């Protein structure tokens, strides 16, 4: 009799637990099905096996038009989805991976994907994929980018003309005019050149953001480029001594204009961030098949923590010494991006108040 009673009690307990479990499953299913973030699962063959309503609504498909189909059918760029699947198979977790998805109405949505894989006993069960729509943000950025590119371009043309006219006057009056006039003209030339360089940097930034930067590679003599940069930089300052090492007989195959932009950004930073003056040196070290180029200053230096973020877009160091110098935080980002296009990398060695050395390598031939 007692046994029976215990059995009935046990059964009631199981029933209750089962109902609670069912409720939990229902709640969780509801949570994922109706979450406002688009979610989906893809199996090991790249087939969508589940998607929530937010995902279907975002792309405009019915369940039967989406679930059961290869995820690659909905990606605008096949290289991107192949890369995503490869990474997930390799067990990587994707954070804010940029992709474009095809909507039913033919439009394309720009999204950021966060995803990793559920595995059981090492077996790929399905991806857990969260998608965030950034189409509007992307268009907004595009409009800003176009605006920056247009303004920079419009500024560059008249500024270049001003520089040329000033140089013409300097040549024409060179011998006949007094020192004061020449000094004023030279100041105008310096300021106009600074503005041309700024407009040039903003234009390059817009091109990089658009992925529209193209290298115009040519073989050129590094010595003459370094000489131009050093002469131009010396014009900007009387406090600093700009020197160059022995660049004789070094030929490199790169985009001359862009490598010039890299050097000129590094040298102008070396001047800007050495407010007490000192020597700025552009040196090189010849190694087999490549040349190591360094820009060395004796300025305020950079602490180790800031060195990690120095090449991020718009990054500026926020301490009292650095804040006093004005800037936009794009120079080093451009340096790093331009060098990446040349399969090279910018590196920094520095200590606070001990000066800085920025260096990079390029393939070279020696004559
Ligand atoms: P900015 O226009 O601010 O100079 P950059 O991208 O060229 O932008 O540089 C980013 C930051 O790195 C600067 O704000 C500055 O704090 C630091 N920096 C760059 N070059 C040097 C240098 N030679 N010495 C010390 N700090 C530097």
């Amino acid at each position: 009799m007692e046994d029976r009673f215990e059995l009935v009690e046990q059964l009631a307990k199981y029933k209750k637990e089962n109902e609670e479990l069912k409720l939990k499953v229902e709640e969780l299913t509801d949570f994922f099905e109706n979450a406002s973030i688009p979610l989906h699962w893809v199996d090991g063959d790249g087939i969508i096996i589940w998607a929530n309503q937010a995902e279907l609504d975002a792309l405009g498909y019915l369940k039967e038009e989406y679930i059961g189909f290869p995820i690659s059918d909905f990606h605008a760029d096949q290289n991107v989805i192949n890369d995503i699947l490869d990474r997930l198979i390799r067990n990587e977790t994707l954070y804010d991976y940029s992709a474009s998805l095809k909507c039913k109405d033919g439009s394309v949505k720009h999204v950021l994907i966060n995803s990793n894989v559920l595995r059981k006993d090492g077996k790929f069960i399905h991806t857990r994929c969260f998608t965030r729509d950034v189409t509007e943000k992307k268009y907004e950025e595009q409009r800003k980018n176009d605006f920056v590119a247009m303004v920079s371009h419009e500024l560059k043309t008249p500024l270049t003309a001003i520089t040329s006219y000033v140089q013409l006057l300097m040549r024409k009056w060179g011998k006949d005019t007094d020192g004061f006039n020449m000094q004023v003209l030279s100041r105008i030339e310096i300021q106009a050149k600074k503005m041309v360089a700024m407009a040039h940097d903003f234009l390059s930034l817009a091109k990089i953001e658009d992925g529209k930067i193209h290298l115009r590679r040519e073989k050129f003599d590094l010595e003459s480029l370094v000489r131009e940069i050093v002469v131009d930089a010396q014009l900007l300052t009387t406090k600093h001594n700009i020197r160059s090492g022995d660049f004789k007989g070094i030929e490199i195959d790169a985009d001359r204009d862009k490598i010039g932009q890299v050097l000129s950004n590094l040298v102008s930073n070396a001047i800007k961030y050495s407010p007490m003056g000192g020597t700025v040196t552009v040196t090189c070290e010849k190694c087999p098949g490549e040349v190591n180029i360094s820009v060395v200053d004796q300025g305020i230096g950079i602490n180790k923590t800031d060195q990690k973020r120095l090449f991020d877009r718009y990054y500026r160091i926020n301490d009292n010494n650095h804040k006093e110098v004005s800037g936009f935080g794009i120079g080093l980002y451009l340096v790093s991006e331009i060098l990446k296009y040349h399969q090279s990398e910018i590196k920094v060695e520095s200590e606070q108040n001990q000066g800085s050395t920025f260096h990079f390598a390029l393939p070279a031939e020696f004559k």
Side-chain angles (χ1 to χ4, degrees):
M1 184 68 180
E2 213 163 84
D3 275 2
R4 222 178 128 218
F5 182 69
E6 256 179 33
L7 212 65
V8 171
E9 230 181 22
Q10 197 69 279
L11 212 64
K13 198 174 145 222
Y14 283 148
K15 223 171 139 187
K16 193 166 168 261
E17 278 175 3
N18 198 23
E19 268 159 19
E20 277 171 6
L21 210 66
K22 247 171 82 183
L23 191 69
K24 275 269 161 296
V25 170
E26 269 171 27
E27 280 171 4
L28 280 174
T29 309
D30 167 80
F31 180 76
F32 289 112
E33 283 288 353
N34 297 306
S36 55
I37 297 181
L39 307 167
H40 70 250
W41 296 346
V42 165
D43 70 10
D45 297 321
I47 306 293
I48 304 165
I49 52 171
W50 173 80
N52 70 353
Q53 199 53 45
E55 174 127 344
L56 297 168
D57 290 347
L59 301 177
Y61 297 101
L62 296 171
K63 228 176 204 155
E64 54 273 26
E65 294 167 331
Y66 196 63
I67 295 170
F69 290 90
I71 185 70
S72 54
D73 286 0
F74 303 96
H75 271 260
D77 186 336
Q78 292 306 300
N79 291 332
V80 169
I81 181 60
N82 290 341
D83 186 51
I84 290 177
L85 293 173
D86 282 351
R87 282 167 187 261
L88 290 172
I89 287 166
R90 285 202 306 267
N91 239 358
E92 270 185 46
T93 293
L94 305 181
Y95 294 106
D96 286 351
Y97 189 106
S98 192
S100 309
L101 298 178
K102 290 192 267 186
C103 300
K104 191 175 169 183
D105 65 7
S107 63
V108 168
K109 282 227 152 106
H110 298 284
V111 295
L112 293 180
I113 291 173
N114 287 279
S115 185
N116 57 13
V117 171
L118 169 70
R119 288 179 189 271
K120 263 194 197 138
D121 304 322
K123 195 170 161 262
F124 189 115
I125 304 295
H126 62 70
T127 65
R128 314 170 179 108
C129 189
F130 297 69
T131 316
R132 225 164 63 239
D133 185 356
V134 289
T135 311
E136 254 322 298
K137 205 169 149 221
K138 187 129 183 157
Y139 287 151
E140 178 69 15
E141 269 173 22
Q142 184 66 47
R143 283 193 288 272
K144 263 196 241 162
N145 221 15
D146 291 348
F147 178 75
V148 169
M150 186 196 65
V151 172
S152 317
H153 186 75
E154 291 302 312
L155 281 176
K156 225 176 115 182
T157 317
L159 284 170
T160 310
I162 292 173
T163 319
S164 310
Y165 285 127
V166 169
Q167 285 167 345
L168 192 77
L169 274 183
M170 285 165 91
R171 272 201 301 278
K172 192 164 186 303
W173 290 352
K175 289 180 204 113
D176 310 330
T177 190
D178 60 38
F180 176 76
N181 284 357
M182 282 305 273
Q183 228 177 18
V184 171
L185 283 178
S186 144
R187 295 254 164 88
I188 297 175
E189 187 198 12
I190 289 168
Q191 296 307 324
K193 273 189 173 171
K194 271 191 185 173
M195 285 163 79
V196 172
M198 241 186 261
H200 193 37
D201 275 358
F202 275 110
L203 201 55
S204 303
L205 178 73
K207 280 189 186 161
I208 285 173
E209 300 298 287
D210 268 356
K212 278 191 196 150
I213 196 160
H214 297 295
L215 295 189
R216 263 185 282 152
R217 279 185 185 273
E218 56 178 322
K219 285 195 172 173
F220 65 88
D221 173 40
L222 189 56
E223 188 186 25
S224 75
L225 177 66
V226 171
R227 201 181 312 122
E228 280 169 33
I229 302 290
V230 168
V231 168
D232 271 2
Q234 191 63 78
L235 284 176
L236 302 176
T237 174
T238 46
K239 260 199 208 168
H240 304 79
N241 189 4
I242 322 287
R243 289 203 191 130
S244 66
D246 178 13
F247 280 86
K248 260 192 202 81
I250 305 174
E251 191 180 78
I252 59 175
D253 184 1
D255 186 317
R256 191 180 192 276
D257 183 37
K258 294 199 172 58
I259 296 301
Q261 201 176 355
V262 165
L263 286 170
S264 122
N265 271 323
L266 293 177
V267 173
S268 76
N269 274 353
I271 296 171
K272 265 170 43 176
Y273 298 101
S274 310
M276 307 301 285
T279 305
V280 171
T281 319
V282 187
T283 59
C284 70
E285 189 192 351
K286 296 176 186 173
C287 305
E290 64 175 28
V291 61
N292 245 309
I293 305 165
S294 306
V295 177
V296 188
D297 68 56
Q298 301 172 313
I300 57 179
I302 305 152
N303 66 44
K304 293 275 174 282
T305 323
D306 284 312
Q307 285 176 29
K308 292 191 195 115
R309 301 205 43 207
L310 217 53
F311 305 105
D312 291 355
R313 190 177 48 157
Y314 304 131
Y315 189 74
R316 305 206 69 225
I317 300 175
N318 205 16
D319 66 23
N320 287 339
N321 283 342
H322 288 85
K323 261 199 310 204
E324 290 203 342
V325 184
S326 62
F328 297 102
I330 61 167
L332 288 183
Y333 171 72
L334 287 181
V335 164
S336 146
E337 289 298 303
I338 291 173
L339 290 177
K340 270 188 212 158
Y341 275 89
H342 285 87
Q343 277 82 46
S344 179
E345 190 188 355
I346 181 76
K347 293 188 178 141
V348 61
E349 273 149 43
S350 182
E351 301 247 349
Q352 209 149 13
N353 299 319
Q354 304 284 318
S356 308
T357 297
F358 286 85
H359 58 99
F360 60 95
L362 287 173
E365 280 175 29
F366 306 104
K367 290 186 176 159

